[in-house]
Amino acid sequence: MRTNKILLTIFTVSFIFLHGCSTTSSVISGNVGASFSKAYKAISSLISGYEDHPITRELVDQIPYASLRMKIGKGPAGLLILESKKGDEYTWVSADNVYIITKEGRIIRALGLTNNLTDVYSSEPSFKEILQTSDSLTGEKFRYVSLDNPEAFNIRVKVSYKKIGPEDVSILDRTRQLILIEEKIENAYIKWRHINKYWVDQETGFVMQSFQVIAPNLPPILIQVTKKPSQ
C-alpha cells in the first residue's frame, strides 16, 4: 500500500511537470521565492535524518521515465524523475518540489535546498575526456559558483581531478564496475575544501553515482542513477 501511494505521488508530480515545462523553467531560472518556503520544510527533514523511503527496482521499473536516487547528508533517500533534457543538461524533480539540474554528472543548479546553487560557470573537461588522460591529476581548472543563502556571486573555486580506478558499485539490486574519479574543489578565502567523487561508466563517460558538495554550508549529496535517460 505504501509503495503504491509513493508511486501515485511520483506519477502525479511527473504528469504536472512534464506538461508544464515552461512554468518549471521560469521557476528554476529566477523565481526562487515562489516555492522556497514549502521546499525548505521538505528539505530540512532530509538534512536532519530519518529512515529511507522504500525505493526498489520494481518501483523504478514501473515508472516510464529516467530516475535517480538522491540522499542529502544523513537524510532519507528520495526518488527524482527526469523532467526535461536540453542538450547535455538534465532537470530532475522530486515529489517535494526539489529540483536539480545536472550536466555531465555534475550538479550545476539546485532549487529547494537551504542554500540554492543558482549558477555555475566553468570550462572543465567531461568525464569521458578525463578517462582518456593519465592516472595523475589532469591540471587545475576553475569553477565560478553562485549561491543564494547567503547570497554569493561567482565564487572562484579551484578544481583538479584524479582518476582512482575501477570499483564495484551497487545501485538498488544491480552491481557494475565503474571508474572512480575524484574532484578536489577548494577556495582558501572562505576555507572551502572538499573532494567530490564520481563513479563513471568506462565506455560512455556517463556518471552513474556521485558524492558532491555544492555549497560550504550544505551536507554532501549522494546521487545514484536508477534508470538512465535515453541518449
Side-chain angles (χ1 to χ4, degrees), residues 18-230:
L18 285 168
H19 290 76
C21 295
S22 61
T23 301
T24 301
S25 299
S26 65
V27 171
I28 293 175
S29 61
N31 191 9
V32 174
S35 59
F36 182 81
S37 178
K38 180 179 177 182
Y40 176 86
K41 292 176 183 177
I43 207 69
S44 62
S45 60
L46 295 181
I47 295 172
S48 61
Y50 53 88
E51 292 184 3
D52 289 357
H53 293 296
I55 299 173
T56 64
R57 176 61 57 188
E58 179 184 10
L59 172 64
V60 167
D61 288 344
Q62 289 182 63
I63 302 171
Y65 310 114
S67 61
L68 60 80
R69 177 180 180 269
M70 186 172 79
K71 187 178 179 74
I72 302 177
K74 297 179 181 179
L79 194 66
L80 280 73
I81 304 301
L82 180 63
E83 185 269 335
S84 64
K85 179 185 178 211
K86 185 177 180 181
D88 54 2
E89 295 186 5
Y90 297 85
T91 299
W92 308 84
V93 59
S94 78
D96 294 327
N97 291 339
V98 174
Y99 299 86
I100 63 168
I101 298 178
T102 60
K103 182 177 182 180
E104 296 179 339
R106 303 177 181 98
I107 300 173
I108 61 167
R109 299 186 79 180
L111 170 67
L113 310 181
T114 53
N115 188 5
N116 292 299
L117 179 62
T118 58
D119 195 24
V120 170
Y121 171 77
S122 72
S123 57
E124 299 163 49
S126 68
F127 287 106
K128 192 168 186 177
E129 292 172 323
I130 295 173
L131 286 174
Q132 296 169 352
T133 65
S134 66
D135 292 335
S136 60
L137 291 174
T138 60
E140 294 177 349
K141 304 290 183 180
F142 291 95
R143 181 181 302 167
Y144 296 86
V145 178
S146 296
L147 304 165
D148 74 352
N149 186 26
E151 283 192 340
F153 299 99
N154 295 327
I155 302 172
R156 190 182 192 220
V157 180
K158 185 166 65 175
V159 186
S160 56
Y161 296 94
K162 185 175 184 180
K163 185 166 58 177
I164 304 300
E167 286 192 3
D168 289 334
V169 175
S170 295
I171 300 176
L172 298 183
D173 60 346
R174 297 174 186 172
T175 300
R176 60 192 300 174
Q177 190 175 84
L178 304 170
I179 306 299
L180 171 60
I181 296 174
E182 290 186 347
E183 173 191 82
K184 184 169 71 173
I185 59 173
E186 55 184 326
N187 178 294
Y189 182 75
I190 61 174
K191 298 180 180 179
W192 182 19
R193 186 179 186 277
H194 187 76
I195 294 180
N196 294 326
K197 297 183 178 183
Y198 301 85
W199 288 264
V200 185
D201 183 277
Q202 173 79 52
E203 296 182 2
T204 65
F206 187 86
V207 177
M208 292 297 301
Q209 177 175 283
S210 64
F211 193 68
Q212 307 179 52
V213 168
I214 62 172
N217 58 350
L218 284 179
I221 299 174
L222 172 65
I223 288 177
Q224 296 177 316
V225 177
T226 49
K227 182 184 287 188
K228 284 180 62 176
S230 57

